Structure formats: structure tokens, C-alpha cells
Amino acid sequence: LKFEIDNASYPPVFFPEHIAWKNYADVFASNRFLTYFTNSLVVTGCATGLSMLVGVPAGYGIARMAAHKSAIVILIARITPGLPYLIPLFLLFQWLGLLGTLVPQIIIHLVVTVPIVIWIMIGYFETTPLELEEAALIDGATRWQVFRHVALPIAKPGLAVAFILAV
């Protein structure tokens, strides 16, 4: 919203007197804007969908099996900064010939989002009532049916939080 002179002024200008609408026109007039926007949607959509697809069942399994050691591994993966992954992943993508594609960006996004989704879902599934799942098992449901028809509907608020944080 600011002109270039307002960006470099001292003291800083937080609310400009005149709004520079031309900046928005320049962005949309750029030939590559639609490509960049589409790439962002593809990377974010694929990474979020895959992290939910992998993270929700993993969080359910860890929570129901009380696998505290696995939860600690997820926590360590969550608190580890991304920089140690940078060089090995670059060399891997170079070796696979994936540089210049969207696949490496999706995978790197997964490295960040999957531990978040798993950690949130572990906490959420640990607070849901186990009695409902036990009743479904007694009625003859398989473990997958219990997850799909009992645990997932109860976990909708947790799914929403995990989805928002994964985007």
C-alpha cells in the first residue's frame, strides 16, 4: 500500500497518507503471477492433504496404543530445526532429478507439517472417550471401522485445528 519512498523513510511510515494502488496492478500485470499462484495452491494443497492422510491415522494409532516412545520421536522431529535437513534433501532431490519441480517443495512442506498434525492428533485422541470405541468393537466393528465411524466424527475439531496449522 506504500510508495517506495515510504518504505525507506525514517521514522517508519506505518499508515501512508496516499495509497499506492499501482503496486497491486503491477503484481497482477506480471506474466508469471498466475503460475506462481497456481504453484502455491498445488504445493499447499498436496502437502496439507498428504499430511492429514498420514498424520491423522498415525496420531490415532500412537494415542490408542499409548506408544509414548513414538510420541517422543515425533516431538523430536517437531522441535528439530529444518536446517539439518537442507543439504541431505537437496542432494537426494538432485540425485533423483527432481530439482526444478514442485515435488521437492511438497516433500519439504511434509517434513514440517506431518509432525505437527501427528502431535495435535495424539493430544486430541487421548482426550476422546475410549468407551465409545470399545462399544463399537463389542458390536462387531473392525478397528478401521471404529476409526472411521467413531473416532473421526468425534475428532472433527481436532482435525480442523490440524488442518489449519498444516496449511
Side-chain angles (χ1 to χ4, degrees):
L1 294 175
K2 297 190 289 186
F3 288 98
E4 192 61 37
I5 194 147
D6 292 335
N7 288 333
S9 67
Y10 182 81
V13 176
F14 295 111
F15 301 105
E17 293 180 22
H18 303 288
I19 296 175
W21 294 109
K22 185 180 179 301
N23 295 339
Y24 285 101
D26 291 343
V27 167
F28 288 114
S30 163
N31 293 338
R32 305 284 292 176
F33 174 75
L34 189 59
T35 303
Y36 298 147
F37 185 71
T38 304
N39 288 347
S40 296
L41 288 178
V42 167
V43 169
T44 304
C46 289
T48 303
L50 287 172
S51 65
M52 293 295 286
L53 190 68
V54 170
V56 173
Y60 176 76
I62 292 171
R64 287 299 174 239
M65 294 180 67
H68 300 294
K69 291 181 183 175
S70 298
I72 291 171
V73 171
I74 299 299
L75 178 63
I76 290 170
R78 174 67 193 107
I79 63 175
T80 303
L83 199 55
Y85 304 125
L86 185 64
I87 293 174
L89 283 174
F90 175 78
L91 294 174
L92 175 69
F93 297 144
Q94 186 178 28
W95 181 70
L96 293 173
L98 294 175
L99 294 182
T101 65
L102 296 179
V103 175
Q105 290 182 3
I106 293 170
I107 292 172
I108 288 177
H109 207 61
L110 286 172
V111 167
V112 175
T113 57
V114 168
I116 292 172
V117 170
I118 293 174
W119 190 252
I120 289 170
M121 296 315 296
I122 288 171
Y124 199 82
F125 283 125
E126 284 178 344
T127 62
T128 58
L130 190 59
E131 291 80 13
L132 295 173
E133 295 178 23
E134 290 172 349
L137 288 171
I138 290 171
D139 288 340
T142 63
R143 182 56 76 175
W144 177 252
Q145 290 172 332
V146 169
F147 172 70
R148 187 168 157 235
H149 296 292
V150 177
L152 280 182
I154 294 172
K156 282 182 184 176
L159 293 171
V161 170
F163 181 81
I164 290 169
L165 290 177
V167 173

